[in-house]
Amino acid sequence: MGTLQRRADGSWQASGDPGLPALVGVWRPRIVVGPAFDQQFSAREQALILQHERSHRRHGDHWANGALLLVRTVFWFHPLLPWAARRFLRDQELACDARTIASQPALRGLYASTLLKAQLVHPVAPAVCHWRSQPVLKERIAMLKQSRRKALPWVSGQVLVVGVCVGMGAVAWASQGSAVAGPVAAAVDREIQVDKMPPPSYPKSAVEQRQVGVVDLRVEVDAQGQPTDVRVLRATNPGVFDAVSIAAARSWTYRPAMRKGKPVAGAVKIPITFAMDDTEDAQ
């Protein structure tokens, strides 16, 4: 590049042109332009080029290119590395183009014409971020023709994420059914007791098919010892034993929980096991 001179815009001007403009260096990266930079590009074109190279520097692309050069040095023998390196640099330039033009979409045409004016005609160093990249020039210009990302897919994605979070929260809340009536249960002197538990009837269809299973119930009991709500928390054979389990729980006799010597409402979790012996009797 020859001798470098500092420019008023913060970039450096070289006396030679090995594929400039480019972001050069890893430890102290500098934006370096060629000797004919002012003559070749207008003021608006120069601003776009410098904005592009500043985006490279701001996002650490010079560090990424340095790491890529190290990988290519160590794994020089790998047959897929040249292809992977080309794809890496291609995506890097496309991403930088998108960042540069995102805030000023009206300048897409000027940006594309500036790319065309800067055809790469000289060999360049392997670890720098070049404004001119002839192998992907056609693709870069084609990408500039695409409209900005529509809001609908983004909104749909956000709605999906929120829906998943709400669903997971609902599952987590439902799984807390094994806890007994929250703060009431934690402070009671005596838990809910069941005095009489006549076993549920074994469904005829389950007997015929020799089905077994376990049903976990959550029974809410008021201060008078009456079951106010019975629900199934979990069933190993859903739909087979649910109805008979709920009916049985509603017929049981309960003693309410006690707190400070007074009966209080609460809830209790009761598992019911449906099994069959060799004579097909319900247990």
Side-chain angles (χ1 to χ4, degrees):
M1 291 184 293
T3 305
L4 300 182
Q5 293 183 353
R6 185 68 178 264
R7 292 166 51 92
D9 56 19
S11 64
W12 296 77
Q13 191 154 22
S15 56
D17 185 6
L20 301 173
L23 179 67
V24 180
V26 175
W27 300 110
R28 297 178 58 188
R30 299 178 179 182
I31 299 174
V32 182
V33 300
F37 184 66
D38 294 325
Q39 294 76 31
Q40 186 177 5
F41 302 101
S42 67
R44 296 177 66 190
E45 292 171 340
Q46 292 177 29
L48 285 174
I49 293 173
L50 295 177
Q51 185 178 349
H52 177 97
E53 297 302 333
R54 291 184 185 118
S55 180
H56 273 308
R57 182 170 58 190
R58 186 165 54 251
H59 286 80
D61 289 344
H62 55 291
W63 289 106
N65 287 357
L68 175 63
L69 184 62
L70 179 62
V71 170
R72 297 188 69 171
T73 302
V74 175
F75 298 99
W76 57 269
F77 54 87
H78 200 292
L80 293 180
L81 190 56
W83 173 85
R86 288 194 299 269
R87 300 293 295 183
F88 174 84
L89 296 174
R90 161 193 170 275
D91 289 346
Q92 183 185 86
E93 290 302 324
L94 291 177
C96 194
D97 288 342
R99 291 193 300 265
T100 303
I101 210 66
S103 59
Q104 43 195 355
L107 299 181
R108 292 174 184 270
L110 178 62
Y111 194 88
S113 64
T114 306
L115 282 173
L116 288 172
K117 288 176 65 174
Q119 291 295 315
L120 184 61
V121 294
H122 301 291
V124 295
V128 300
C129 302
H130 304 284
W131 163 260
R132 299 186 280 187
S133 52
Q134 193 177 27
V136 294
L137 181 61
K138 182 178 179 180
E139 186 173 5
R140 290 176 68 183
I141 294 177
M143 292 294 289
L144 290 173
K145 296 179 181 179
Q146 296 186 7
S147 59
R148 296 183 63 184
R149 182 181 62 178
K150 296 181 179 179
L152 182 59
W154 182 86
V155 172
S156 301
Q158 297 300 312
V159 171
L160 178 62
V161 170
V162 172
V164 170
C165 292
V166 171
M168 293 179 64
V171 172
W173 178 84
S175 67
Q176 296 176 357
S178 58
V180 182
V184 174
V188 296
D189 302 325
R190 188 190 71 189
E191 305 291 343
I192 296 173
Q193 298 178 356
V194 186
D195 282 345
K196 296 180 181 180
M197 299 179 64
S201 59
Y202 214 104
K204 183 178 179 180
S205 60
V207 173
E208 295 173 349
Q209 300 177 29
R210 302 192 63 80
Q211 291 179 300
V212 297
V214 178
V215 178
D216 289 334
L217 295 179
R218 183 179 188 271
V219 183
E220 295 183 9
V221 180
D222 62 17
Q224 287 71 44
Q226 298 298 319
T228 58
D229 183 65
V230 182
R231 68 183 66 179
V232 176
L233 296 177
R234 184 182 64 89
T236 56
N237 243 329
V240 177
F241 304 105
D242 297 18
V244 295
S245 299
I246 293 174
R250 290 190 180 277
S251 67
W252 295 339
T253 303
Y254 302 88
R255 290 186 184 179
M258 301 293 291
R259 183 175 61 179
K260 296 181 180 180
K262 295 182 179 181
V264 294
V268 62
K269 178 182 175 183
I270 303 175
I272 303 177
T273 301
F274 291 83
M276 301 182 68
D277 58 19
D278 293 338
T279 61
E280 298 186 352
D281 292 331
Q283 295 183 353

